[in-house]
Amino acid sequence: MKIEIWRADPWDIDKLSEVADRIFRPMLNPGTGMRREFPLLFTQENSSNLFYIPGERKQPISMVATKPWKVRIFESTIPIIAVGSVLTLPEYRNKGLATGLLKKVIRVFRKTVPVMIISGTLNLYRRLGATDFGPLCEITLKEKEIWKGKVYPGVYADEIHELYSNEDVRYERTLSETMELIDALKAPYYRQSPLKGEVFLAGERGELEAYAILIPYYSRHSLNLKIIEWAGKRDSVLEIMKYVINYYDADSVTLKAQPFDPIVNIAYDKGFDVKKVNNQGLILVLNPQLLVRQMKLYMVNRLKVEKARAYRKDINSWIVKLNDRIEEFEDLKSVTEFFFTEKGLKIPFPDTEGLNYI
Ligand SMILES: CC(C)(COP(=O)(O)OP(=O)(O)OC[C@H]1O[C@@H](n2cnc3c(N)ncnc32)[C@H](O)[C@@H]1OP(=O)(O)O)[C@@H](O)C(=O)NCCC(=O)NCCS
């Protein structure tokens, strides 16, 4: 069956954010949740990146929302497309609508965008070649000790933005995007938690050392704190963890870091729990040639690969050449695993559960 797929117009935003609320935030009035929670996704500027299938009276019966970002990985910057809010109304499910939309998204972006990330780990996504990636290290603190220091809730957006921009692995974003994303923490049921997100700072105004953005959430009758973004001096970030567990009288506080980040060893030495976890969601390389071209500086500086090339050998195989090493892959899933997992080059990728999460 041929399905009709539309890219949204600016005036479609209301109906798309309403349908997204009906599926993902059913406890809220339609139109009041997802749009406030994802302020850079459901906007008029981003409307052409929202794909949907119209039903009766042109109302959406299935949709996939995407948002282009640039990701900075040390010296290289690559465009990516982030995918989320994948939904089909219950009465239209299991007919291939979401699959059709995702295939369209892949076709549209593969010419210009080398990498797609998808929120969630459904089989539906894996069948299209998307795969787990990472690892990241999850650092957890459970013990409370009486702690006094210069940590306090607050938002100095300019300094937060500057600290974030100095991180090696991150999303590229502007100060005003940072401000909008921080403001979205106050959306009702942000990331499904009834408790409000909060920003904590270490250091003085004008000399901010570090910040951490956290979401408190209940699980099995305990209160836990998830730090979804942090930056700055590593010691100070860990001090924030010690502070907030007391501030909330919480049972645990966690954050995620790149495995090679100095914060991992510092935390381990200080007795925090450290374990490896996958990044949130799945990743798919859409265009290996572009990826290799755009990762050139990273390859040269970090991997000592002077000559890198990727090309399609035939319909079912891809070749990646790195210096004298030649790898052949039978599909984009194995190309993706080679670039972004421990099976291959382990190219780092920012935490996809962070503030920029779709
Ligand atoms: C997840 C969701 C978007 C899937 O939408 P959908 O339109 O039913 O998706 P598809 O029909 O393309 O695929 C769903 C299943 O139907 C099967 N299917 C696809 N085409 C089919 C067809 N023509 N006939 C029968 N089955 C078909 C697929 O194999 C798939 O099976 P799998 O899940 O075991 O891989 C939908 O169930 C939904 O809205 N769920 C609630 C929101 C949600 O959880 N979103 C995902 C957030 S990560």
Side-chain angles (χ1 to χ4, degrees):
M1 181 188 66
K2 174 112 178 69
I3 51 174
E4 192 174 2
I5 295 177
W6 288 0
R7 295 181 80 155
D9 287 318
W11 46 89
D12 290 331
I13 299 297
D14 283 347
K15 65 184 183 192
L16 291 173
S17 60
E18 276 174 30
V19 81
D21 278 349
R22 232 182 297 149
I23 301 295
F24 294 107
R25 297 291 179 270
M27 64 295 252
L28 298 175
N29 285 333
T32 63
M34 298 290 277
R35 187 182 207 167
R36 172 125 167 65
E37 187 168 336
F38 300 105
L40 305 174
L41 185 66
F42 292 102
T43 63
Q44 299 199 342
E45 295 75 30
N46 195 51
S47 58
S48 66
N49 296 316
L50 309 180
F51 296 77
Y52 73 100
I53 296 174
E56 269 175 46
R57 288 179 291 110
K58 300 176 186 167
Q59 292 304 306
I61 57 171
S62 184
M63 78 174 267
V64 169
T66 73
K67 166 86 181 89
W69 285 107
K70 284 194 172 145
V71 166
R72 176 83 178 193
I73 304 170
F74 290 92
E75 296 80 5
S76 291
T77 304
I78 57 167
I80 64 143
I81 190 78
V83 175
S85 294
V86 179
L87 68 87
T88 300
L89 296 182
E91 57 273 36
Y92 299 97
R93 286 181 190 166
N94 300 316
K95 297 182 198 308
L97 298 189
T99 304
L101 277 165
L102 286 164
K103 284 186 173 164
K104 166 83 175 176
V105 166
I106 291 172
R107 280 199 305 276
V108 166
F109 289 105
R110 73 179 166 205
K111 290 169 219 113
T112 51
V113 180
V115 171
M116 173 166 109
I117 54 168
I118 314 182
S119 173
T121 54
L122 300 180
N123 251 338
L124 168 67
Y125 311 150
R126 293 184 192 278
R127 269 189 289 105
L128 297 168
T131 184
D132 299 298
F133 66 127
L136 296 173
C137 282
E138 187 177 72
I139 297 172
T140 304
L141 174 67
K142 290 189 175 143
E143 283 79 42
K144 281 173 221 159
E145 49 188 83
I146 298 300
W147 188 84
K148 281 200 169 68
K150 256 183 223 146
V151 173
Y152 49 99
V155 180
Y156 301 146
D158 51 344
E159 287 187 76
I160 287 173
H161 183 68
E162 200 180 320
L163 287 177
Y164 183 73
S165 305
N166 286 330
E167 294 291 327
D168 290 327
V169 181
R170 62 173 195 277
Y171 291 84
E172 295 277 10
R173 64 182 194 224
T174 61
L175 173 59
S176 75
E177 286 172 337
T178 299
M179 289 164 77
E180 278 191 84
L181 291 170
I182 290 176
D183 181 61
L185 292 171
K186 304 297 174 214
Y189 285 91
Y190 184 83
R191 311 273 169 104
Q192 320 229 34
S193 176
L195 303 168
K196 292 270 176 279
E198 196 68 73
V199 185
F200 285 85
L201 309 174
E204 306 281 359
R205 176 76 172 133
E207 288 171 37
L208 200 65
E209 289 168 10
Y211 73 91
I213 299 174
L214 65 81
I215 305 171
Y217 66 97
Y218 295 111
S219 87
R220 291 187 219 99
H221 306 291
S222 69
L223 176 64
N224 304 287
L225 309 172
K226 181 186 279 188
I227 293 178
I228 60 165
E229 183 177 299
W230 57 272
K233 261 180 70 185
R234 275 41 188 164
D235 283 314
S236 306
V237 174
L238 297 175
E239 293 296 302
I240 296 177
M241 290 178 83
K242 289 187 196 167
Y243 178 83
V244 294
I245 197 168
N246 282 304
Y247 182 95
Y248 284 91
D249 196 17
D251 297 284
S252 74
V253 51
T254 59
L255 65 72
K256 284 189 238 153
Q258 299 296 336
F260 51 79
D261 193 292
I263 199 171
V264 175
N265 281 338
I266 303 174
Y268 186 78
D269 290 344
K270 290 189 173 180
F272 291 58
D273 292 339
V274 177
K275 70 169 184 198
K276 275 190 188 178
V277 293
N278 282 335
N279 210 332
Q280 187 277 136
L282 301 173
I283 193 166
L284 175 62
V285 171
L286 302 179
N287 186 327
Q289 287 107 314
L290 267 187
L291 179 65
V292 164
R293 223 178 296 147
Q294 285 158 345
M295 289 301 294
K296 184 171 171 43
L297 290 176
Y298 177 86
M299 299 260 191
V300 171
N301 292 327
R302 308 279 147 189
L303 304 177
K304 305 288 166 234
V305 171
E306 303 291 335
K307 275 193 275 174
R309 254 189 86 200
Y311 57 92
R312 198 170 193 155
K313 188 175 160 207
D314 52 52
I315 191 90
N316 283 325
S317 71
W318 291 90
I319 305 282
V320 176
K321 285 189 183 167
L322 304 176
N323 290 342
D324 299 329
R325 175 176 175 188
I326 301 176
E327 304 272 350
E328 184 162 348
F329 303 99
E330 62 186 16
D331 52 22
L332 284 176
K333 177 184 158 78
S334 30
V335 174
T336 307
E337 285 173 343
F338 176 71
F339 283 108
F340 288 104
T341 75
E342 289 188 295
K343 290 185 186 165
L345 303 178
K346 267 199 297 190
I347 294 178
F349 200 92
D351 178 5
T352 52
E353 249 182 344
L355 206 54
N356 294 57
Y357 166 70
I358 174 100

